[in-house]
Amino acid sequence: MNLRKFLIPTLSLFFVVFSCTDEEDDIVPIATRERQEVYDENEEDILTYFETHFFNYEDFDFADANNPANNEFTIVLDTISIGNGTSDKTPIINYLNQAEGVFPRLDIKIVNQDDIDYNLYILKIRAGEGDNISPLDAAAMIYTGLTPDGTIFDSQVNIGLGQPFDLSGVVAGFREGIVEFKTSTGFTENADGSITYNNHGIGAVFMQSGLGYFADPPSSIDQYVPLFFKLNVISRSNTDYDGDGIPSHLEHPDGDTTDDDEDDTDEDSFANYIDNDDDGDGVLTADEIEQKEYEDDGTNQFMSKAEAQAYFTANAATDEIFISIEAEQDGTYILHTVVVPATMVNGVSIPNYLNSDITTELE
Ligand SMILES: [Ca+2]
Ligand SMILES: [Ca+2]
Ligand SMILES: [Ca+2]
Ligand SMILES: [Ca+2]
């Protein structure tokens, strides 16, 4: 199942659903609940959960987080109780306020939505050693979505089955949690043909309903319940929503997708990542830059990502930026870059596609 199926609908507090009573056949509006009230209730439920539950921390080597044995680890959450012999387990709440760099750790990220500062709880088992992820990227991961009572409403247990999905289409709490981890550094092919990813971020996010589905959840769960997602974050890839050749994540320099104004160069109310003429000079951004691809180093094909990366490092022009390395079916790789000409303005180098005084078309 794909998370995109569960886009957050834009609901206001005035949204109503109608139901009919048997007796009178009347239409009775049922108001959507107050977000603050649901937040307070969910917050209490989540903290109670942390006090009464533990995870399988004994199965993870925290002394050597990059021990290959850790790569197959996924979180299992369970109740602390005398009845099931787990009364001596460490509750999740104990990982709150850990010193920097100590794992496992339970971090709180404040996410403002609908005028509420939400506490998004992020349980980090391992931060990950690969790439940073932007909220505007697509990402591939192994995940399970569940509610506090253990009901699983969504999951992807095998990365081979799923393509990276755009993080812009998932619930806010999931997206804001994912970007706190890093991707894998690569993978190992096992004797049986299966794939093990290495050194990726592992953890879970716990969110109040307002950062999830709120009044409009998947049919298998109730309205207004907190959501938990267990995560193994595998890889990221670029999106380019406006098709202008500049990856979305490079059109949001501050990484803050909630405040479009900061990254709207021509102030036309379309943020740069959804604006194909970023400086509003009438020349499309795609025509003010030059997209390039390299299949070899001038002689030999790139036989690994590392070769393509090394070629870029050694040969990139000063105004050329790295975009991606694409794997080909035949086992070779293509290096994608973009040349972004810039002009000095008052001692600062400004890309021409962000400078309406320069209208030179390259193509
Ligand atoms: Ca773009
Ligand atoms: Ca704009
Ligand atoms: Ca743009
Ligand atoms: Ca332009």
Side-chain angles (χ1 to χ4, degrees), residues 264 266 268 270 272 275 278:
D264 180 7
D266 59 6
D268 64 353
F270 290 98
N272 289 358
D275 188 340
D278 293 290

Side-chain angles (χ1 to χ4, degrees), residues 11-237:
L11 294 174
S12 79
L13 289 175
F14 307 105
F15 178 82
V16 291
V17 292
F18 296 95
S19 67
C20 301
T21 60
D22 288 333
E23 295 87 352
E24 301 169 24
D25 213 25
D26 262 345
I27 293 174
V28 180
I30 302 168
T32 301
R33 290 185 61 190
E34 289 285 342
R35 285 182 181 267
Q36 183 67 51
E37 177 190 273
V38 173
Y39 173 78
D40 294 342
E41 187 179 293
N42 284 178
E43 177 74 353
E44 201 176 322
D45 288 347
I46 291 171
L47 290 172
T48 301
Y49 187 93
F50 290 155
E51 286 160 8
T52 56
H53 288 73
F54 71 103
F55 77 96
N56 52 333
Y57 51 83
E58 284 154 332
D59 298 339
F60 191 90
D61 179 4
F62 286 98
D64 178 14
N66 291 327
N67 180 339
N70 284 338
N71 290 328
E72 301 280 8
F73 179 87
T74 51
I75 294 177
V76 177
L77 299 163
D78 202 356
T79 315
I80 296 173
S81 81
I82 294 170
N84 64 11
T86 56
S87 56
D88 61 341
K89 300 295 184 189
T90 305
I92 293 168
I93 196 76
N94 283 26
Y95 304 122
L96 203 55
N97 303 318
Q98 293 274 47
E100 197 175 332
V102 176
F103 292 85
R105 58 187 300 112
L106 183 63
D107 292 335
I108 296 177
K109 179 179 185 177
I110 307 295
V111 178
N112 185 275
Q113 182 152 298
D114 304 307
D115 294 326
I116 294 172
D117 280 336
Y118 285 89
N119 283 342
L120 179 67
Y121 293 94
I122 303 168
L123 177 64
K124 283 190 178 172
I125 311 301
R126 180 168 77 180
E129 298 278 313
D131 298 324
N132 285 312
I133 304 173
S134 158
L136 291 175
D137 287 341
M141 69 199 63
I142 295 165
Y143 67 87
T144 301
L146 65 160
T147 57
D149 69 3
T151 303
I152 293 173
F153 57 86
D154 191 7
S155 70
Q156 182 162 286
V157 294
N158 184 338
I159 200 70
L161 297 174
Q163 295 298 313
F165 47 84
D166 287 359
L167 297 183
S168 63
V170 306
V171 296
F174 190 61
R175 177 173 57 249
E176 294 298 329
I178 289 164
V179 300
E180 297 303 313
F181 293 90
K182 291 185 181 181
T183 67
S184 69
T185 52
F187 61 85
T188 310
E189 197 165 343
N190 304 310
D192 64 359
S194 64
I195 298 286
T196 299
Y197 291 92
N198 302 318
N199 307 325
H200 51 277
I202 301 175
V205 288
F206 304 81
M207 71 196 73
Q208 301 81 14
S209 178
L211 291 179
Y213 307 119
F214 201 61
D216 194 24
S219 58
S220 55
I221 60 173
D222 292 335
Q223 292 176 305
Y224 312 121
V225 294
L227 305 181
F228 305 163
F229 285 93
K230 303 192 283 187
L231 302 169
N232 287 32
V233 180
I234 304 302
S235 66
R236 64 161 296 282
S237 50

Side-chain angles (χ1 to χ4, degrees), residues 236-251:
R236 64 161 296 282
S237 50
N238 292 326
T239 62
D240 184 7
Y241 292 118
D242 55 10
D244 65 1
I246 305 288
S248 302
H249 74 97
L250 296 180
E251 299 207 68

Side-chain angles (χ1 to χ4, degrees), residues 252-257 259 262-263:
H252 250 294
D254 61 1
D256 177 6
T257 56
D259 185 1
E262 288 178 36
D263 301 305

